[in-house]
Each structure stands twice: as structure tokens, then as C-alpha cells.
Amino acid sequence: MPTPFLLNGILASQISGHLYAGPAGAFDALGSVTLSGTQASITFSAIPQTYTHLQLRYIAKNAYSASNGVDDPNFSFNTDTTYTNYRSHYLEGNGSSTFAGSIQTSGTYAIGAGVARSYTGETNMFSAGITDILDYANTNKYKTVRSLGGADYNGSGEVHFHSAMWMNTAGIYQIDINCGAGSFVAGTQFSLYGIR
Amino acid sequence: MTTNTMVALRSYTVTGSPASSVNFDLTGISGYTDLVLISSAMASSGVPDNLMQFNNNSTGNYYSSTFLSGTGSSALSARESNRNWLSLDSYGSLNTSNFNIAEIHIMNYANTTTYKTVITRASNGALGTDAIVGLWRSTAAITYITLLPSSSTFAVGSTFTLYGI
């Protein structure tokens, strides 16, 4: 059974945690954070460099009170917040239309997958996403990230594909997950897995 | 401690005669955050959709889905609201000649404070491909999963494997 995540303390507007350490398998739970209150960001640090890939799995919700203007959660690596070091492309569907585009100069660091908006009528509804960070420990290549996620609200919603690149050859030892506009609400959960 | 996960929990293969549904009773299963169900299925006739229900909930219109699909010539998005099932495909549906492959992620299935979100990737090499986000508007923990085609039956050779993460 996965061990409950041990909180490392609340750092200003973010929450951090220890990573699990112990026996290894092919798909290992490295850490998990479940918010008990609102937080703007979540950090996984001291990520071991012993896996081939990482996978983030999450349910998330934004505390933003308006019905629009909510950003996707975005990720930054190794505390690099220079947005020009990241490049992202996406394909999205909103139930009636499809959209595709790219992001580099908007200030969004990496990628996202649809955070549920928080207002009346969306009670208990969370977005969900699965993000793969491929060859994260390889020091000979830029890092490639892909994500599938979205949210359905019974009558509205979005589904997203994202691919992204972090133009840095360093191994990824820290992931900062930022909510974008607003904060993540209580019940938001991010879990990090290592894949051999 | 690091915990080895993605554990195969249940597996079912349709043998002998076609199956009108496939059921997974989760009694006795605990300690996982998400469930992943891999479906490799064919229909006995027609081109039905692969559908899912939780906890034998087949009334009340508690299910909805948002689709992003590729048809082979275009990309499109669609929606289903207030249904009595969760659709696991749209263009990548079941047929009688190709196995539909669906990777179904049931997120936070045991959570009793949120509705359940399901992420699905489905494809049928001859028909199309889909990414789907679905919602079951219930805060109940998922204890029972039913897969069923919208018409016809699952053909012999169809396989369904459930993993815990």
C-alpha cells in the first residue's frame, strides 16, 4: 500500500514533501501530495536519477471564482522559471470545437492539462491529468514531456493533449507545479511515479 | 519508502461464447490511488461503443463525457451529458474485424469527497482514435465496474485487465 506522503512543511505559497525511499520496482510510487487547504504550488524535490521516466498523475481544481480566466497548471524544472527555455504544443477539444496551438512567450513555463474551474454547479468536480516526463535523467538531451487530461462538468468541459520540451540537458531533480491563476483547492492531489 | 505499484489485480478473457458484459468486483482491493483498465475488445456484430458503469449505477443520468477524436481525415470534439453510462470511445469504437484498444484511467476511484473523473485513450486502427474525459457524478467509492457494448456482445478473444496504481 502506498505510504502516505510526508509533508516537508509549507513554504510560503507552496507545499513540498519528502520522497519515499525504499525497495524498487518497475513502476514505483515516489511521492504524493494531497492538499488540505488552498495552495498556489506544489514541489517534488530530490528526485532520484535512477529511473528512466517519471509520471505525474493528478486530480486538481482551481479556487478561482470566475467561470473563465483560469490557467492550466504548469510545471517548471530545477527551479528554471525562464519561460523561453520551455516550448509547448497542444491539441484541445471543448465538446464542439478543436483547437491547436503552441506556447512559448506567454509566461507559461511548461505544460498543463485543464484545471477545473470552481464555481457553483461544479461542486465536487475535479480535472484529472497524466503527465509523462521522458528520459528525465538523461544529461545528453533536452527533456520531452507529454500530457493527457481535462475535465468534464456534465454539459461543458475540455480534453487536452500537450507535448512540451524543456531546453536543458540537466537531469530533472525538482518539479514545481504551479496553479497559474488562483490556487489549488483542498482535495487536489498530485502523485509522482518512477518508471524503470 | 518507494512503493512498487501498477499491480495487476484482475484479468478476464472472453472464451467459449460472446459476453454481454464484463464485471470487476473490487471487494477486497484497497491501497491504490487510481485504477487502470486495459480493454482489448471486438464486437460480435455491428459497430457498438464500449461503455462503462460504476457500482451498478445504470439510472439517474449521472455520467457525462467530453471527446477529442481523430477520424482519419479530421479532428473533432463532441460531448455526451446526462447519460446512464460512460462512453469509452467515439470513432475508435468496437467492430467485428479489429480489436479496439482502450486504456482507461479511473482517477482517485476510492475517494469519497469528489466526483470521479475518468481519462480514456481508445483506438481502432480501422476506424479512428479518441481521447475522452468522463465524469461520474457520485462521491461514492467505486466498488464495482461493468463494461458493456452499446449493442451486440463482446466477441470471444476480448481481454480486459485491471491494474491498481
Side-chain angles (χ1 to χ4, degrees), chain B residues 70-143:
Chain B
T71 67
S73 59
S74 62
L76 53 87
S77 186
R79 167 167 295 115
E80 291 180 347
S81 303
N82 297 311
R83 300 299 172 100
N84 286 319
W85 60 82
L86 203 61
S87 291
L88 301 177
D89 58 59
S90 180
Y91 282 85
S93 58
L94 306 175
N95 68 359
T96 59
S97 56
N98 301 89
F99 279 94
N100 154 292
I101 303 296
E103 183 178 297
I104 306 148
H105 298 264
I106 306 167
M107 310 298 282
N108 274 69
Y109 77 101
N111 186 321
T112 57
T113 59
T114 66
Y115 294 166
K116 305 304 178 297
T117 300
V118 178
I119 300 172
T120 302
R121 278 282 290 111
S123 62
N124 182 319
L127 300 176
T129 185
D130 305 302
I132 305 165
V133 173
L135 181 72
W136 181 45
R137 299 195 311 282
S138 172
T139 58
I142 294 171
T143 58

Side-chain angles (χ1 to χ4, degrees), chain A residues 83-95:
Chain A
Y83 64 79
T84 51
N85 290 336
Y86 299 87
R87 182 81 181 186
S88 179
H89 286 77
Y90 61 87
L91 173 63
E92 302 178 358
N94 67 359

Side-chain angles (χ1 to χ4, degrees), chain A residues 22-172:
Chain A
F27 194 101
D28 291 344
L30 301 180
S32 183
V33 172
T34 303
L35 298 185
S36 57
T38 57
Q39 296 288 340
S41 65
I42 293 168
T43 296
F44 290 100
S45 59
I47 297 169
Q49 303 294 293
T50 51
Y51 293 90
T52 305
H53 312 298
L54 298 174
Q55 184 173 95
L56 271 168
R57 304 175 64 88
Y58 60 90
I59 62 169
K61 186 170 184 173
N62 194 314
Y64 206 66
S65 59
S67 61
N68 55 30
V70 179
D71 287 343
D72 290 339
N74 56 77
F75 307 139
S76 58
F77 303 128
N78 297 3
T79 70
D80 179 7
T81 56
T82 303
Y83 64 79
T84 51
N85 290 336
Y86 299 87
R87 182 81 181 186
S88 179
H89 286 77
Y90 61 87
L91 173 63
E92 302 178 358
N94 67 359
S96 58
S97 301
T98 59
F99 308 89
S102 65
I103 303 169
Q104 183 177 43
T105 58
S106 68
T108 297
Y109 300 138
I111 65 167
V115 168
R117 299 185 295 259
S118 177
Y119 59 91
T120 304
E122 291 178 348
T123 304
N124 298 327
M125 300 179 190
F126 281 60
S127 66
I130 301 166
T131 297
D132 293 306
I133 304 168
L134 304 169
D135 245 348
Y136 75 102
N138 190 310
T139 56
N140 297 310
K141 62 173 74 168
Y142 292 168
K143 305 305 178 294
T144 301
V145 179
R146 66 180 183 183
S147 187
L148 168 63
D152 185 273
Y153 313 121
N154 189 42
S156 62
E158 300 171 347
V159 56
H160 298 210
F161 276 113
H162 285 251
S163 66
M165 178 172 64
W166 180 43
M167 291 177 276
N168 194 305
T169 59
I172 294 172

Side-chain angles (χ1 to χ4, degrees), chain B residues 3-133:
Chain B
T3 305
N4 184 25
T5 186
M6 194 153 190
V7 177
L9 301 173
R10 301 275 193 277
S11 185
Y12 183 80
T13 301
V14 178
T15 58
S17 59
S20 58
S21 66
V22 171
N23 302 291
F24 290 97
D25 185 347
L26 306 184
T27 302
I29 293 173
S30 64
Y32 299 97
T33 304
D34 305 326
L35 298 175
V36 178
L37 207 164
I38 307 295
S39 165
S40 174
M42 227 165 33
S44 301
S45 64
V47 189
D49 291 321
N50 198 357
L51 309 179
M52 177 177 274
Q53 294 169 332
F54 299 124
N55 297 3
N56 290 310
N57 175 204
S58 59
T59 60
N61 300 320
Y62 290 109
Y63 302 88
S64 55
S65 298
T66 302
F67 304 87
L68 176 62
S69 303
T71 67
S73 59
S74 62
L76 53 87
S77 186
R79 167 167 295 115
E80 291 180 347
S81 303
N82 297 311
R83 300 299 172 100
N84 286 319
W85 60 82
L86 203 61
S87 291
L88 301 177
D89 58 59
S90 180
Y91 282 85
S93 58
L94 306 175
N95 68 359
T96 59
S97 56
N98 301 89
F99 279 94
N100 154 292
I101 303 296
E103 183 178 297
I104 306 148
H105 298 264
I106 306 167
M107 310 298 282
N108 274 69
Y109 77 101
N111 186 321
T112 57
T113 59
T114 66
Y115 294 166
K116 305 304 178 297
T117 300
V118 178
I119 300 172
T120 302
R121 278 282 290 111
S123 62
N124 182 319
L127 300 176
T129 185
D130 305 302
I132 305 165
V133 173

